[in-house]
Amino acid sequence: MLVLVSPAKTLDYENEAGTSEHTLPKLVQYSEQLIEECRKLTPSDIASLMKVSDKIAGLNAARFASWSPNFSTENAKQALYAFRGDVYTGLDADTLSAKSVALAQKQLRILSGLYGLLKPLDLMQPYRLEMGTRLANAKGTNLYQFWGDVITDEVNLALLEQGDQIVVNLASNEYFKAVKPKSLKGSLITPIFKDRKNGQYKVISFFAKRARGMMVRYILDNNIKTFSGLTEFDAAGYYYCEAESSPEAPVFKREEQ
């Protein structure tokens, strides 16, 4: 199965990656086009467009200015180890075995506003450009229009390369909107994670993000290939709820934390 996840706003370029192995992002020519547009923005423009503080806007203006199409371990880091945040806390990439990392390189893809679709070991220069950003470009007024069918085509190519027909969507709605489900050449599974709070089970964003990361870890460590394998996911107290599930949307619940 091919697993899709979102990137994270928080980045770590201070600590070393868990491996020296790396690959290069495939869609750099598209990234260059976006960087060209981003370099036209002033820090004030960035603050308004991305709804961030002046400090973060200044940092990102500097990142756009220094970005280069030439990637090396001096100016970039493997995406799997560069991203931090709730999903990646659940995934805990720093403790993955070499076998699981190799499997991730085949089965895991990270959606990205700037890079389109990344393999875990693709070198990535620091950036912040969320998929929902309304950045005017030659193809439209936002990144969804910019990427068009490109990301979906790359997902289909990844499915073809590994001879699989299952896509597990563990990305946020914002990022998965960059994929066109009707054009996918495989079946789509979107797990749902619910936590009990005040007597009701509901999707709580903080917990759901971590659960997505934990499910990625579970898939990699156990080489899960089937829907039935997914239903055995039980990390951190989650359990499969068959009564509320469907083949397209398995539901996992957890008691109040």
Side-chain angles (χ1 to χ4, degrees):
M1 53 181 55
L2 187 74
V3 184
L4 301 179
V5 295
S6 303
K9 297 175 185 176
T10 305
L11 303 174
D12 175 12
Y13 280 81
E14 300 299 321
N15 299 298
E16 290 188 9
T19 178
S20 60
E21 293 183 41
H22 62 269
T23 47
L24 296 176
K26 183 179 179 181
L27 304 175
V28 174
Q29 71 271 30
Y30 294 95
S31 305
E32 288 187 84
Q33 295 173 39
L34 289 174
I35 288 293
E36 187 177 334
E37 297 299 333
C38 289
R39 284 175 175 165
K40 298 175 184 177
L41 304 173
T42 65
S44 179
D45 293 333
I46 294 172
S48 177
L49 184 67
M50 300 185 182
K51 297 179 175 58
V52 296
S53 67
D54 291 341
K55 181 179 179 180
I56 293 176
L59 172 63
N60 281 287
R63 285 173 170 172
F64 294 142
S66 63
W67 192 92
S68 166
N70 301 310
F71 291 73
S72 72
T73 53
E74 299 299 317
N75 68 3
K77 186 178 181 180
Q78 297 91 326
L80 182 64
Y81 300 100
F83 286 123
R84 300 294 172 175
D86 296 327
V87 171
Y88 295 86
T89 297
L91 173 54
D92 193 14
D94 295 330
T95 63
L96 283 171
S97 68
K99 183 178 179 180
S100 290
V101 172
L103 193 61
Q105 187 71 352
K106 294 180 181 179
Q107 290 190 234
L108 179 62
R109 295 293 181 271
I110 303 169
L111 297 163
S112 166
L114 179 60
Y115 295 99
L117 197 67
L118 289 163
K119 291 182 178 180
L121 297 183
D122 281 351
L123 290 179
M124 180 190 83
Q125 292 171 53
Y127 78 100
R128 180 163 175 172
L129 187 64
E130 295 171 50
M131 192 64 80
T133 303
R134 296 188 64 80
L135 177 69
N137 59 82
K139 300 175 185 176
T141 60
N142 57 57
L143 295 185
Y144 299 114
Q145 291 174 326
F146 174 82
W147 285 109
D149 295 322
V150 174
I151 292 174
T152 305
D153 289 344
E154 286 299 314
V155 170
N156 283 332
L157 183 59
L159 285 170
L160 181 64
E161 288 176 348
Q162 67 178 31
D164 207 343
Q165 293 183 320
I166 299 176
V167 177
V168 180
N169 170 30
L170 290 170
S172 65
N173 291 335
E174 174 189 349
Y175 278 88
F176 192 70
K177 277 174 64 179
V179 179
K180 300 182 177 180
K182 291 182 180 179
S183 298
L184 286 177
K185 296 178 180 177
S187 56
L188 180 63
I189 300 173
T190 303
I192 298 170
F193 303 95
K194 295 183 178 182
D195 277 79
R196 185 181 175 94
K197 186 173 183 180
N198 300 328
Q200 292 185 319
Y201 292 96
K202 59 182 71 176
V203 177
I204 301 174
S205 179
F206 171 76
F207 291 134
K209 288 177 181 178
R210 291 203 172 189
R212 290 178 194 137
M214 288 188 284
M215 178 165 276
V216 174
R217 178 66 181 249
Y218 165 77
I219 291 170
L220 297 176
D221 284 349
N222 297 281
N223 195 14
I224 301 302
K225 298 179 179 179
T226 63
F227 178 86
S228 61
L230 275 184
T231 64
E232 295 177 16
F233 171 75
D234 61 356
Y238 284 99
Y239 57 90
Y240 175 59
C241 180
E242 185 175 6
E244 296 184 23
S245 298
S246 69
E248 298 78 27
V251 175
F252 299 85
K253 290 184 172 181
R254 185 170 67 163
E255 301 311 313
E256 189 157 356
Q257 300 299 295

